[in-house]
Amino acid sequence: MTDPVRAIADAVLYEGYVLWPYRRTALKNQRRWTFGGVYPRDHSAAHPDDPWLMRTQCLLEATAGARVTVTVRFLHVVRRQVVGAAGEPVDEIVAGGERHLSWSEAVEREIAIKPLQLGEASTTPIAIAAAEEIEPLEGGAVARRWRRLDGAVTVASEEVGPGVWRLTAEIANRTPFAGDREAALERTFCSTHTVLRTSAGRFVSQTDPPLALREAAAACANERTWPVLVGEPGDASTVLSSPIILEDHPRIAPESPGDLFDGGEIDQMLVLNILALTDEEKAEMRDADPRTREILERTESLTPDQLMSLHGAVREFGMARGR
């Protein structure tokens, strides 16, 4: 993906990953991975609010020979368990002057579908093996474990009018599962989103379709996701379908110092709140996750001019909140 598209897609991928005050003990961080979950089908059968299927449908104006590429991205929960010298699970350990905490992280997963010609269909399996990584420490270790994931991405297209095609991308989670919701999350495609591209056609805005295509656009069935045009204004070659409703051609504000994982707040408020944390709270934020450590270090290194640039800006509608 091009940089502007990647920036928006990454902001969606990590929305809600860890929320302010970015600490493991914070109440709002006791229930994570709340956006874009595609859950194991066995879990979804008992909990219908946790879907096992995500479907994107959108329109493309193109000739029959045009090709489309589809990429699915999501987070895979990684259980981070600290163990002592005898291999016993512990909540934390200090090694080399650094504290290590037991919690959860995530690793990015990307499923790239082979380019399809319009009129074709394909099903691509998702098969990610369970694994474990051990990071030795003085007096113990950090064990990172992730569960197996199984599922599939199905892509199809059909012509619904002269030179107008409806594309469908379905993501299904068929990971075998029995257990509670916390265990289900380790087998869930978290923060799932889909990127669709074409080099020989134009995607149709689902938000503001042309009058002649409004009925066809309204017939598109999007489940747990919403497709928007991304890239530079006027570019209709790429669609981002995400669980967070965006406008067409969303952008990251240039003043933003970096992602803060919380689209419901403004950067200045979050930055000032981080700077106001106590030393003890900052220590927990630093030790909670590599990404929260990066936020803290980045925030503490901001210059006065950079802080002032977050105070406010006047611009036309269409600029996404800074991250």
Side-chain angles (χ1 to χ4, degrees):
M1 291 184 289
T2 60
D3 287 344
V5 176
R6 186 83 185 197
I8 292 294
D10 282 349
V12 169
L13 186 65
Y14 285 99
E15 178 71 14
Y17 176 78
V18 184
L19 298 176
W20 186 87
Y22 304 110
R23 301 197 311 274
R24 184 183 60 161
T25 56
L27 182 61
K28 64 175 68 175
N29 288 321
Q30 301 305 301
R31 190 179 179 91
R32 299 168 67 192
W33 330 111
T34 55
F35 293 101
V38 182
Y39 297 82
R41 186 171 186 173
D42 294 338
H43 169 80
S44 184
H47 303 275
D49 288 341
D50 292 338
W52 66 277
L53 185 75
M54 177 181 283
R55 177 185 293 117
T56 293
Q57 284 192 335
C58 59
L59 301 180
L60 173 65
E61 294 182 293
T63 58
R67 289 184 175 272
V68 175
T69 60
V70 176
T71 303
V72 173
R73 303 176 72 221
F74 58 87
L75 294 179
H76 189 172
V77 175
V78 176
R79 180 67 61 186
R80 184 180 70 217
Q81 179 63 59
V82 179
V83 297
E88 74 282 8
V90 296
D91 185 59
E92 64 178 72
I93 194 171
V94 177
E98 187 173 323
R99 183 171 60 156
H100 300 266
L101 302 175
S102 294
W103 206 25
S104 291
E105 300 176 359
V107 61
E108 297 178 16
R109 303 297 189 191
E110 185 169 302
I111 312 298
I113 311 304
K114 181 180 177 182
L116 288 176
Q117 186 171 313
L118 291 178
E120 296 179 339
S122 74
T123 297
T124 301
I126 298 174
I128 300 171
E132 178 182 76
E133 293 180 352
I134 303 296
E135 178 188 351
L137 299 173
E138 180 183 348
V142 175
R144 291 179 172 86
R145 303 182 178 95
W146 55 90
R147 303 288 187 174
R148 179 176 178 84
L149 298 180
D150 290 293
V153 180
T154 301
V155 180
S157 62
E158 60 177 322
E159 194 169 17
V160 295
V164 181
W165 298 78
R166 180 167 60 224
L167 302 180
T168 302
E170 290 187 342
I171 305 161
N173 186 340
R174 299 189 175 93
T175 307
F177 173 73
D180 60 19
R181 189 177 188 277
E182 287 303 308
L185 286 173
E186 297 184 9
R187 298 163 178 85
T188 295
F189 312 155
C190 297
S191 300
T192 308
H193 61 273
T194 306
V195 179
L196 304 94
R197 288 184 176 279
T198 183
S199 58
R202 291 181 59 83
F203 284 102
V204 175
S205 169
Q206 282 290 118
T207 304
D208 187 22
L211 182 61
L213 295 177
R214 286 184 182 175
E215 184 174 347
C220 290
N222 288 282
E223 296 186 19
R224 309 287 178 161
T225 188
W226 181 250
V228 297
L229 302 175
V230 287
E232 296 299 321
D235 181 5
S237 65
T238 307
V239 160
L240 170 64
S241 185
S242 83
I244 299 171
I245 296 177
L246 302 170
E247 60 188 348
D248 284 333
H249 303 291
R251 290 172 286 167
I252 301 297
E255 300 87 359
S256 177
D259 206 337
L260 294 166
F261 306 147
D262 193 344
E265 301 287 351
I266 60 173
D267 281 3
Q268 184 189 37
M269 181 184 296
L270 288 171
V271 164
L272 293 177
N273 284 337
I274 291 168
L275 293 175
L277 294 174
T278 66
D279 289 344
E280 182 179 356
E281 290 170 333
K282 288 181 179 179
E284 186 178 354
M285 178 180 174
R286 182 181 296 107
D287 300 334
D289 188 278
R291 292 182 175 89
T292 57
R293 173 176 294 194
E294 193 277 331
I295 290 176
L296 179 61
E297 293 175 348
R298 184 180 69 221
T299 300
E300 291 186 322
S301 68
L302 292 175
T303 66
D305 286 344
Q306 289 172 319
L307 288 171
M308 284 301 298
S309 73
L310 300 177
H311 184 63
V314 178
R315 55 173 59 92
E316 297 179 0
F317 288 108
M319 181 67 73
R321 186 200 65 79
R323 293 179 178 275

